[in-house]
Amino acid sequence: MSEELVWETRQFGHRARLALDPAQIRLIDAQAHAARATWNLLHDFWTMTPKCRRSLKAADTAIRQARKETDWLGVLPAQAAQAVLKTYFQAWKNCFEGRADEPNFKARFRTVMSVDIPQGRDLNITRVHRRWGMVQIPKVGRVRFRWTKDLPIGKRATSGNRITGARLVKDALGWHIALRVQSIEPAPKPHQGDEVGIDAGVNLPLALSDGNHQDHGRPPRLLDGTADRDKWLNADEKAELLRLERRAAHRKGFLKRGEKTSRRLHHTYDQIKQLRARAKRRAVDWQHQTTTAIARQYGTVVVEQLQITNMTKSARGTIEEPGKNVAQKSGLNRSISQEAWGRTVTMLAYKTTRHGGSLHKVPAPGTSQCCSMCGFTTPGSRKSQALFVCKNTGCGWSGNADHNAARNILHLYRMGHALIPAAGRAVVRRPRGVKPATAR
């Protein structure tokens, strides 16, 4: 008897690099600056207006009036301006519900330049050949972009499989288009793979409980013990980055207090950002490939509930009570931030769901100090970041510290100590007759 397929609607994003000429770059830059200015004007209008007069209709009227009176705001398409209004109201909604802080003023050099294209039908995407496609950008024209994924266009576009919109985003490597794609796909069958516990570390990026560790082969520290913040760059790129940083420091030394930054210094900063962005892309690419392989192989993935913000706090202390080992803690914080544990967990969450698996979180305290063989926590067992030797009499198990933590993580899940995401607390789902023993 054949099983009936269950279809579900999925939404995902696809990012591609745009190939723009100088004239098109100037047009999109102008639209991005106009979108940022529209946000700031809307924020000023909202904060200065009495609460009794604040409404969506009043804000929309103010935006329309500003576009009529200010010529350079007209370079932004009307639908993109409405998208700014919608995003601003959503930001306040997130603030009222406790998910984010209040919306703020967007500064010129600290804000990501972006433009929304809310209507997917305005894009008119066509494929030129195997490597390139064409997209219609409002008030810019036809633009080429790198074709790296099949998209629902032309005859394949239906009410369920279509492109619903896009956003133009600028980073250090240029302008990109992020497409919002909606598709109808069959629901995945339950994954029949094994259970695995994963511990995110510094020396070993992802340690798995079954020993199938995932390492990117880039040491987190140099020979002198300091953190390697440029580990995703090769030797030539590191030398180029060092040269650019020295040049920037030299040119910055000639600036007087209150003097504007020169164009040459801005150009040097842009070159540094390009190298940093290249390193980040390599790190994200490794994370995507690794998390995809894990989601395909394992049916249940268990990770720790980490408070990364608290883990990366500075140990500097105060004048009255100065901290200890400040330099070492600073290097450890930098290494933790480079590994981007939160981004790895986010990727695992949606990729396990896509392949029919599940992701669970367990409490983090004690997983790295407890022995995974005997179940006892003995002081002095954690020798270093990479070595664990159980000091319990009669055990003496030794091995990689991250591997030991991964085994403890999986054991906590099997004993029923899983976390409810909404409440953020541990819930014991222990089977009848099973005692909460710590011994394996």
Side-chain angles (χ1 to χ4, degrees), residues 173 216 218 230-235 237-238 274-290 343:
L173 299 178
H216 46 58
R218 300 175 184 271
D230 308 317
K231 60 185 178 182
W232 291 99
L233 300 177
N234 56 37
E237 291 169 341
K238 288 182 180 179
Q274 291 177 3
L275 288 174
R276 298 288 188 197
R278 189 181 305 173
K280 182 179 178 181
R281 283 196 170 190
R282 292 171 182 172
V284 173
D285 179 69
W286 179 84
Q287 286 181 311
H288 272 295
Q289 295 186 22
T290 305
R343 188 167 58 207

Side-chain angles (χ1 to χ4, degrees), residues 3-10 184-189:
E3 298 181 358
E4 184 179 357
L5 291 178
V6 178
W7 298 85
E8 61 182 11
T9 302
R10 294 184 180 178
I184 298 180
E185 300 177 3
K189 298 180 180 179

Side-chain angles (χ1 to χ4, degrees), residues 7 19 25 33 46 69 124 147 179 226 236 252 317 326 353 398:
W7 298 85
I25 292 176
H33 288 304
W46 191 260
E69 297 177 354
N124 296 326
W147 190 278
L179 302 172
T226 59
D236 294 337
K252 188 177 180 180
V326 179
T353 304
S398 63

Side-chain angles (χ1 to χ4, degrees), residues 95-109:
C95 175
F96 296 150
E97 296 178 356
R99 296 193 299 266
D101 295 332
E102 294 184 2
N104 294 323
F105 180 87
K106 289 190 175 183
R108 180 182 179 91
F109 296 106

